[in-house]
Amino acid sequence: RDLCGFLPLQGHVVRNWKVRWFVLLQDKLLYYKIEGGKKEPSPKGRILLDGCTITCPCLEYENRPLLIKLKTKTNTDYFLECCSREERDSWALDITGAIHAGHPVQVQELHKMKNSFKLLENISLHNIVERMYDSSTGIKLTRNLDQGNRYKETFTGSALVDWLISNSFAVSRFEAVTLASMLMDENFIRPVGVRSTEATRSSDLSEKFLDDSTALYMFAESSKKNTSSKEEVHFNISELSGTIVKQGFLVKQGHKRKNWKVRKFVLRADPAFLHYYDPTKEDNKPVGGFSLRGCLVSALEDNGVPAGVKGNVQGNLFKIITKNDIHYYIQASSKAERVQWIEAIKPLT
């Protein structure tokens, strides 16, 4: 089966982000425009994979930590954004497989690499970061100089490796470096200064983070504290504090203009909320959301266009009615995906 799904793509002529429907074939990646909730019949573009290089994880955009970068043989860069780390790794593995299809040895190596990476899954990155922030036992933040620039509240690469080992999060320095790379990947920490920033360009996960006393890092949060908080009025922080249960791209009908748009949906529990984001925007703030308490969720029949749905949108639709009687019409990309979302939402209502 071909891998397919929604991914935001950065245009290489006009540098804006647009959501496209991607289909991975044996030697190319096709992408389609979605109009009125339907995929256009012919592709909007294609990325030829022969001779392509893939960079994943790609940290070129601070606000978009889950990118895959593809550079074609003719030096055109494409940036594709995924919804979660799992989705990104799955796309990256399959695209890499297609690029190396003629070289079976590399494909075997890739699968080996993917399987060996299960080592650390029992460790929660959030837990590590909370411990790092602890004022008495956490990582010590210091002022550091790098090429004449002064940085407050930073720590060195080797200090973090020492800390991870002494707190039993890692056994060896190699394991600690891998763990630190994952923290950077997930945007918990970020490089500051020339040395550490240069290293992130390496394609090898174990070389992205430097176990070095001259490479500087800081918490990604401290760099955002200075931004103005004017726009954060809409969403109460507690709404966004729940555990993420499921996330993914779905097509949603607007309330006012009834047009269909792809949104990134994030389902959280404790408290139970469903928020949706505009994947073409740079800031990671929801454009809408609602409490799931007292909501009704149901699949809509696949024969014909249901009442309340505008445009010729059919198939894989479901509806959520909030306890204030607001109706949300949402389209999944397959029957199976619709079932998964309904099953994930139901217990939280």
Side-chain angles (χ1 to χ4, degrees):
R1 192 180 73 76
D2 299 323
L3 182 68
C4 56
F6 286 115
L7 297 173
L9 164 75
Q10 188 190 49
H12 52 274
V13 186
V14 183
R15 294 266 173 210
N16 56 352
W17 293 84
K18 293 259 191 325
V19 181
R20 297 287 181 246
W21 178 260
F22 278 84
V23 179
L24 176 62
L25 302 177
Q26 209 176 345
D27 57 346
K28 55 182 162 294
L29 199 51
L30 301 179
Y31 53 95
Y32 296 81
K33 198 172 168 184
I34 300 287
E35 267 307 323
K38 287 180 100 68
K39 181 182 97 174
E40 289 190 342
S42 53
K44 181 92 182 126
R46 57 185 193 162
I47 302 170
L48 297 175
L49 296 175
D50 181 40
C52 212
T53 52
I54 178 169
T55 307
C56 174
C58 162
L59 303 176
E60 291 188 28
Y61 289 86
E62 200 179 327
N63 293 343
R64 295 178 183 267
L66 296 171
L67 289 180
I68 295 172
K69 177 182 178 181
L70 294 174
K71 191 187 250 325
T72 63
K73 209 155 56 171
T74 55
N75 277 340
T76 307
D77 291 344
Y78 291 90
F79 293 93
L80 316 180
E81 186 179 29
C82 298
C83 225
S84 64
R85 190 192 171 109
E86 294 72 32
E87 187 195 42
R88 179 195 66 190
D89 292 350
S90 155
W91 272 100
L93 196 78
D94 286 359
I95 292 171
T96 309
I99 292 172
H100 296 315
H103 318 282
V105 179
Q106 278 164 311
V107 178
Q108 272 176 331
E109 284 299 307
L110 266 167
H111 281 283
K112 249 193 257 169
M113 204 173 84
K114 191 180 189 197
N115 295 335
S116 68
F117 221 73
K118 295 274 181 282
L119 287 176
L120 305 161
E121 273 181 13
N122 56 344
I123 294 178
S124 147
L125 296 181
H126 284 276
N127 176 1
I128 295 177
V129 175
E130 268 172 32
R131 291 272 299 277
M132 283 172 71
Y133 270 112
D134 188 292
S135 52
S136 54
T137 58
I139 184 129
K140 297 282 170 278
L141 299 177
T142 53
R143 286 166 180 265
N144 282 292
L145 270 175
D146 181 90
Q147 305 217 342
N149 293 321
R150 243 172 237 286
Y151 295 102
K152 277 194 301 197
E153 300 199 330
T154 54
F155 46 88
T156 67
S158 49
L160 178 55
V161 168
D162 293 343
W163 185 89
L164 287 167
I165 293 170
S166 66
N167 283 277
S168 311
F169 286 118
V171 181
S172 62
R173 295 193 85 78
F174 177 77
E175 219 174 90
V177 166
T178 310
L179 203 48
S181 304
M182 290 165 87
L183 289 169
M184 198 157 60
D185 244 14
E186 296 284 333
N187 237 20
F188 288 117
I189 62 173
R190 67 184 189 88
V192 272
V194 180
R195 284 217 57 194
S196 55
T197 309
E198 278 291 302
T200 59
R201 302 206 168 91
S202 161
S203 59
D204 186 347
L205 192 62
S206 61
E207 291 169 12
K208 282 187 183 307
F209 181 89
L210 298 177
D211 176 5
D212 186 310
S213 58
T214 61
L216 302 182
Y217 299 88
M218 72 195 296
F219 288 118
E221 282 310 296
S222 47
S223 63
K224 306 226 167 68
K225 292 260 164 73
N226 319 334
T227 54
S228 83
S229 56
K230 273 181 196 147
E231 296 128 34
E232 279 149 36
V233 205
H234 319 307
F235 293 96
N236 178 335
I237 204 83
S238 69
E239 277 184 36
L240 299 168
S241 67
T243 313
I244 295 180
V245 177
K246 187 167 175 58
Q247 50 186 341
F249 296 110
L250 296 166
V251 190
K252 176 188 155 297
Q253 178 173 275
H255 288 299
K256 297 187 186 97
R257 291 163 62 190
K258 306 282 183 211
N259 51 354
W260 290 84
K261 292 227 161 81
V262 179
R263 294 289 178 247
K264 174 182 169 174
F265 278 80
V266 179
L267 176 63
R268 293 180 174 88
D270 302 322
F273 272 86
L274 185 62
H275 290 97
Y276 48 96
Y277 299 72
D278 180 346
T280 64
K281 296 271 184 291
E282 281 306 319
D283 59 358
N284 199 13
K285 297 196 187 81
V287 290
F290 49 92
S291 164
L292 291 170
R293 272 270 155 90
C295 280
L296 296 170
V297 56
S298 59
L300 295 174
E301 282 309 316
D302 279 347
N303 45 7
V305 179
V309 170
K310 193 173 176 220
N312 187 21
V313 176
Q314 294 174 23
N316 312 322
L317 289 165
F318 63 101
K319 172 162 122 172
I320 302 174
I321 304 174
T322 68
K323 66 168 192 268
N324 308 334
D325 201 38
I326 296 168
H327 293 224
Y328 287 87
Y329 294 96
I330 298 166
Q331 185 182 37
S333 55
S334 66
K335 273 198 173 59
E337 189 183 43
R338 172 173 70 181
V339 170
Q340 287 165 6
W341 274 98
I342 292 175
E343 284 179 356
I345 292 168
K346 267 197 175 142
L348 301 176
T349 59

